[in-house]
Amino acid sequence: MGQFGDGDSTEEKKKEARERFESIQLGTRCLVTVPGQPPKKGTLMYKGPTSFKPGFWIGVKYDEPLGKHDGSVEGKRYFECGQKYGAFVKPESVAFGDYPQDNLMDEM
């Protein structure tokens, strides 16, 4: 491989993502941005490996029912939330910060 080859860049990126999330506390507000979908605000509920897919995953409870489940997948509970409020996403799709929950009553 040449001087500018990618080497293990995918593994390095995965390691960096895991290290970045180790310091983030559960309950932190976040914004999930997945290509082809609108951004979704939510709360970090889980971080780590899962039994349904390999790798490091972020469990999010969305502010609106835009998810896929209630915090459990294939019979295993990872976190608690209402039906359709939960989702698992890859770390690179999540940004943490001051993302206040939208007050839907203000929009009416």
Side-chain angles (χ1 to χ4, degrees), residues 19-103:
E19 290 172 354
R20 181 170 67 113
F21 286 100
E22 287 176 2
S23 64
I24 304 290
Q25 293 184 358
L26 297 181
T28 301
R29 295 289 296 160
C30 61
L31 181 68
V32 177
T33 307
V34 176
Q37 298 180 15
K40 301 172 208 154
K41 292 181 184 179
T43 303
L44 173 65
M45 300 297 286
Y46 177 86
K47 56 183 179 175
T50 65
S51 61
F52 60 88
K53 275 198 175 178
F56 188 85
W57 291 88
I58 302 299
V60 177
K61 177 177 85 173
Y62 291 132
D63 294 348
E64 299 179 64
L66 302 170
K68 296 183 177 182
H69 52 72
D70 65 352
S72 65
V73 178
E74 297 177 354
K76 182 171 180 178
R77 170 87 36 211
Y78 293 92
F79 59 92
E80 298 277 341
C81 70
Q83 187 61 30
K84 299 271 186 191
Y85 281 80
F88 280 95
V89 295
K90 297 305 283 178
E92 56 269 15
S93 299
V94 184
F96 295 97
D98 184 18
Y99 299 104
Q101 189 169 1
D102 292 331
N103 187 345

